Amino acid sequence: MKILVAVKRVVDHKVNVRVKTDETGIETANVKMVINPFCEIAIEQAVRFKEQGSADEVVLVCIGPKEAEVQLRAGLALDADRAILIRTDEEVQSLDVAKLLHKVVQEQLPDLVLLGKQAIDTDNNQTGQMLAALTNMPQGTFASDIVFIVPNKVKVTREVDGGLVTLALNLPAVITVDLRLNTPRYASLPNIMKAKRKIITMVSPDSLGVSLSPRLTTLKVESPPVRQAGVKVADVADLVDKLQQQAKVI
Amino acid sequence: MAILIVAEHDNHSIQPATLSVLTAASEIAAHTSDTELHLLIIGHECQPVVEIAQGITGLSKILVADHQIHQYPLAENIAPLIVSLVQEQDQAQYQYSHILTSAGTTGKDYQPRVAALLDVAQISDIISVESADTFKRPIYAGKAIATVQSSDAIKVITVRSSAFAAIAFSASPLSEDNQIPVVELAAQADSGKSEFIKAELTQSSRPELTTAKVVISGGRGMQNADNFELLYTLADQLNAAVGASRAAVDAGFVANDLQIGQTGKIIAPDLYIAVGISGAIQHIAGITGSKVIVAINNDADAPIFDVADYGLVADLFDVLPELTAALKVKN
């Protein structure tokens, strides 16, 4: 079984991002970039399937600038086998990401495509679902457990609003992973060294026959309203009194 | 032109989130002329939902797809149904300019699939309507708000329900001769690609987290699952919903569907009480819409105090019983 894992390069989740003063976007110069945390969980899951013997090959695919090679190497150091970088310096929106991944799926013919449920920068939560639509595959979104069942099916437990729901999907399928699926490992030094020799194939969107056509224009990016500084109360009686008399919420 | 709103429901009643989506839809309609609002109800034996929908102000039409394949909402079955409505409607009658649903896990599941099949972008989690094609939405865990304009003919959108008030709603349907027309949609074939196996839903008699007026949540500071009882007891005094931080969920104190934050639920209650929660960016992303935030934490430097209207630096194990007792007296 071949597993394709989509990986995004994003600003580290611990970075306190700042809006540019001209309100055109986020300050990303000299900011630490990492693999999107949800994508890391997807890689970990694919590698675990390889270790369990249910997968033979784990292929990473990323869309981004040349620098995204750093994140792909980091992913390969987690024991993925090879990677594809669709190189572009443009902003690529979810629909175009899904179209590019669709082409890669047509070429690579994976049995399973794993993605994170959302990227922590755009917070869209769309790409996996869009890819499933374009490839006409079933989708298992927000997965917290994935088990292969015979014949050619996968059982997915999903984190939904009221609790958990389990679906069975025909393979090939697209699954987007939630935080609870696993805890990603750290790359060992030997694996980091080994990852340097692994193959990253560079392609361009054009060579895949996809011309990027962004549908959304960002007119402005602004800081959210700042909450008024609050007060510290002395004790419980003071708190209850303030909530009743001042805030009038209880 | 018309706006299609896909209802979120459990085959018995409409989720309050849908009433907020209807407000967003009517705001979009106010920016255009001659726009109808159509509510689409997809389910199985969902007649009670149709009856409730009859009491919703401002609807021009109710479309119902009541079929066994929609017993549980599967994206593979829902998406083609919505797409067929958009593509096959009698164009002289109306065309859909917008398709809206709430940004719950169900809407997030099928709505991007709908968009891709229509070859349009999907706009996630909008928090305000600027015009018929321009919307505001949070990015980077709510650390920035982006204003985006769509160039697509059909706007496929999920709505953050906590950012919009619920639309006017009457428990009794309109009079017989004034009823909203109901269109029964023809059954579609099952995709055969996916199958519902089981649901393990959290049973709770407390108000629903995303619509509760008061929410109390606990974090790692609660130390274990048993200590959450302290929060439940307090919640009962305030008729509050109980939530949690990611740390509390990961530690197994409570179920994942109680998680509040960037990757969990986004809430905007009148009163939010954070107990033993430090206030990571990802958690704050889920609560900044709250009217009043109270933080109870023994660490005076915890970032939660930066957003709290009222902060109490104290041991939660002392404070919670005391607070519960104080409220009991008041009640």
Side-chain angles (χ1 to χ4, degrees), chain A residues 99 117 121 123-124 126 129 137 139 141 162 164 166 168 180 215 217 219-220 222 227 231 233 246, chain B residues 76 108-109 113 119 122 124 140 145 147 149 195 197-198 200 202 259 262-263 290 309-311:
Chain A
K99 286 179 179 178
K117 80 161 178 179
D121 51 0
D123 281 335
N124 273 329
Q126 300 175 2
Q129 295 89 315
M137 287 183 194
Q139 66 190 51
T141 49
L164 299 171
T166 305
R180 241 76 57 187
R215 312 299 178 82
T217 312
L219 302 180
K220 189 162 100 171
E222 59 199 316
R227 288 190 77 96
V231 294
V233 294
Q246 212 175 62
Chain B
E76 295 80 4
K108 283 176 180 173
D109 187 42
R113 194 165 176 120
D119 192 34
Q122 194 239 184
S124 299
Y140 287 89
I145 308 295
T147 306
Q149 185 172 34
E195 187 192 343
I197 307 265
K198 64 172 176 179
E200 298 150 84
T202 312
Q259 186 181 325
Q262 183 184 18
T263 68
S290 309
D309 300 282
Y310 302 105

Side-chain angles (χ1 to χ4, degrees), chain A residues 139-183:
Chain A
Q139 66 190 51
T141 49
F142 329 140
S144 61
D145 190 38
I146 306 170
V147 181
F148 293 108
I149 49 175
V150 279
N152 291 327
K153 280 180 191 277
V154 62
K155 207 167 78 175
V156 184
T157 302
R158 306 176 51 229
E159 297 203 354
V160 298
D161 284 336
L164 299 171
V165 159
T166 305
L167 307 179
L169 312 176
N170 294 353
L171 292 174
V174 174
I175 295 178
T176 74
V177 307
D178 217 317
L179 283 174
R180 241 76 57 187
L181 183 62
N182 61 46
T183 307

Side-chain angles (χ1 to χ4, degrees), chain B residues 124-193:
Chain B
S124 299
D125 228 5
I126 64 161
I127 56 168
S128 90
V129 173
E130 303 296 297
S131 74
D133 65 0
T134 306
F135 310 92
K136 285 192 178 183
R137 58 175 305 267
I139 54 174
Y140 287 89
K143 301 289 282 181
I145 308 295
T147 306
V148 294
Q149 185 172 34
S150 165
S151 60
D152 286 315
I154 303 169
K155 280 82 176 162
V156 178
I157 294 169
T158 61
V159 177
R160 176 174 291 191
S161 54
S162 60
F164 295 88
I167 202 163
F169 180 83
S170 121
S172 53
L174 306 170
S175 63
E176 285 286 332
D177 49 337
N178 209 4
Q179 288 221 335
I180 304 162
V182 174
V183 180
E184 302 275 353
L185 300 173
Q188 303 244 328
D190 185 9
S191 78
K193 289 176 180 297

Side-chain angles (χ1 to χ4, degrees), chain B residues 7-15 41-52 64-73:
Chain B
E8 192 181 345
H9 65 89
D10 59 2
N11 290 325
H12 304 290
S13 60
I14 279 191
Q15 292 293 321
I41 300 169
I42 306 170
H44 182 46
E45 295 175 349
C46 53
Q47 191 54 33
V49 183
V50 179
E51 280 161 25
I52 295 169
V64 183
D66 189 329
H67 194 268
Q68 203 198 326
I69 66 164
H70 300 305
Q71 170 74 34
Y72 179 79

